[in-house]
Amino acid sequence: MKKMFGVLASLSLAACGGPEIETVSFKDGLPSQEMAKLEVPTESTQRIHQGLAHVEQTLRGDVSRTWLVTGGTVLSVNGVTLWTLGSLNFVAGFEPTSDDGTTAVWGPHTNEWEGTTWKLTAVRTAPNAFRYTLEAKARGAADSEYAAVITGSHTVAVDENGKAIKGYGEGRFDIDYDKAARLPHQDSKKGRVSFHYNRPNPTAAVTVDVDLAEFVNDASVPDTAAYRYSQVPGGEGSFEFAVDSNIHWFDPTRIALERWSIKSRWTATGAGRADVRATGGDLASPVTMNECWDTNFRSTFMDGNVASQLRWGSESTDCAIIGASYSTR
């Protein structure tokens, strides 16, 4: 049945005069680390880490604390991305053990320093589209102990002539922490992280969506978070994320979780703003905070709806982006 549909699709393209899509190799059909990496304007990673250590001291003219939180969160998400796609590309760096044109298998390969054996299987679903599974087991364990740690799909972008655009495409991948926790030298957390990325071509906006639900230690309720990223190459961008967290951690009588979110937007120069909101939990009404920064990421404007909050600047003159926009996550 699948072959019949494939023949019909080919005949349809030929009849319409559409281009024949180039057949992409298995190795080029896996997403690179850059495919789902988040890029935000900043001077250095070191500066973000240093700033986060003193974020509570932010005043007008200091490095924006909401920008520091945004940059720190981006670094955290990128860490997961680099580990995941790095693992895929490490295994795919070897020659495939088998490749019949439809299915390719790499491995098994053993990382001696981790005590883990990996195996990667990729299945072609179209000339430029693939499904893949990265399985792992403890070194020396039976093959029945293989666990699908990472599963995903990837479609390589093509141009108007049907030729592959190297380094661009769309796809998703999931990390199963329940299965990863069974491997040597891995964290004990459980749950799942799902990534969806779209990098169509060198000039189009890049989008990356991440949804997380993980159990840490013996927690009965998962930590949940949602991240949404969009960036026009060399232009404006946005990053928003939302987590469930108790903002009254200092008060043992108020233990409910609030939904805490931040949406940061920036211009091509790097100047921008962040709008923060907390809702639900033990809050009688939403709490908001708004901050703008200049091209050096220095705080130029601060406002909010809490009476005791520090305020400075004027939105009309000190903000590159006018008007609050809160995350809907």
Side-chain angles (χ1 to χ4, degrees):
M1 185 66 71
K2 290 182 179 178
K3 290 183 178 180
M4 182 180 72
F5 281 128
V7 171
L8 291 175
S10 299
L11 290 174
S12 177
L13 282 173
C16 296
E20 181 179 352
I21 296 177
E22 179 182 21
T23 298
V24 179
S25 69
F26 278 105
K27 185 174 182 179
D28 291 337
L30 295 175
S32 65
Q33 291 179 320
E34 290 73 22
M35 193 69 67
K37 185 179 180 181
L38 312 185
E39 298 283 358
V40 294
T42 185
E43 290 187 1
S44 70
T45 299
Q46 181 181 10
R47 181 174 178 176
I48 292 176
H49 287 307
Q50 290 174 342
L52 285 171
H54 303 92
V55 68
E56 73 281 355
Q57 300 176 13
T58 303
L59 297 172
R60 183 173 188 172
D62 289 342
V63 177
S64 162
R65 58 181 171 178
T66 52
W67 177 250
L68 287 172
V69 171
T70 298
T73 305
V74 164
L75 290 177
S76 177
V77 174
N78 277 341
V80 178
T81 303
L82 294 176
W83 176 86
T84 304
L85 299 183
S87 297
L88 287 175
N89 285 280
F90 168 79
V91 178
F94 297 90
E95 287 297 318
T97 307
S98 63
D99 179 356
D100 63 5
T102 300
T103 302
V105 178
W106 288 263
H109 298 292
T110 299
N111 290 347
E112 297 296 340
W113 61 91
E114 289 183 344
T116 304
T117 299
W118 302 85
K119 181 175 70 172
L120 174 64
T121 303
V123 178
R124 185 187 302 277
T125 58
N128 63 322
F130 306 84
R131 293 195 318 267
Y132 56 85
T133 302
L134 183 64
E135 300 174 276
K137 65 176 183 175
R139 179 181 54 199
D143 287 351
S144 59
E145 296 299 309
Y146 271 120
V149 178
I150 302 170
T151 57
S153 61
H154 181 65
T155 300
V156 179
V158 297
D159 61 19
E160 64 276 8
N161 298 315
K163 300 297 183 181
I165 307 176
K166 188 175 180 60
Y168 294 88
E170 181 269 339
R172 64 173 302 118
F173 59 88
D174 299 321
I175 307 171
D176 192 330
Y177 283 129
D178 290 4
K179 294 177 179 177
R182 293 158 44 185
L183 301 173
H185 310 300
Q186 297 295 325
D187 294 334
S188 60
K189 61 184 176 183
K190 300 180 180 179
R192 196 173 190 89
V193 183
S194 297
F195 288 73
H196 177 238
Y197 55 88
N198 190 15
R199 193 177 294 263
N201 58 61
T203 59
V206 177
T207 60
V208 181
D209 298 340
V210 184
D211 291 284
L212 175 150
E214 66 179 18
F215 295 86
V216 180
N217 298 325
D218 296 324
S220 58
V221 178
D223 290 336
T224 61
Y227 308 88
R228 299 293 182 265
Y229 169 85
S230 178
Q231 171 71 55
V232 175
E236 70 276 4
S238 68
F239 180 64
E240 61 181 291
F241 59 95
V243 297
D244 294 319
S245 178
N246 180 16
I247 65 174
H248 304 106
W249 55 269
F250 52 86
D251 187 344
T253 66
R254 294 190 287 180
I255 61 174
L257 299 179
E258 287 78 28
R259 187 65 168 178
W260 183 90
S261 66
I262 178 171
K263 183 175 182 178
S264 295
R265 295 170 289 160
W266 56 90
T267 67
T269 66
R273 71 177 292 152
D275 299 298
V276 183
R277 180 168 58 183
T279 60
D282 290 313
L283 292 173
S285 60
V287 171
T288 61
M289 184 182 76
N290 316 94
E291 185 179 29
C292 296
W293 58 83
D294 61 18
T295 56
N296 294 314
F297 312 106
R298 302 287 179 178
S299 182
T300 57
F301 171 78
M302 178 70 75
D303 198 8
N305 67 353
V306 177
S308 60
Q309 180 180 329
L310 292 174
R311 293 173 171 80
W312 54 77
S314 169
E315 182 180 33
S316 61
T317 59
D318 297 321
C319 289
I321 299 174
I322 306 297
S325 177
Y326 298 101
S327 174
T328 59
R329 303 299 165 186

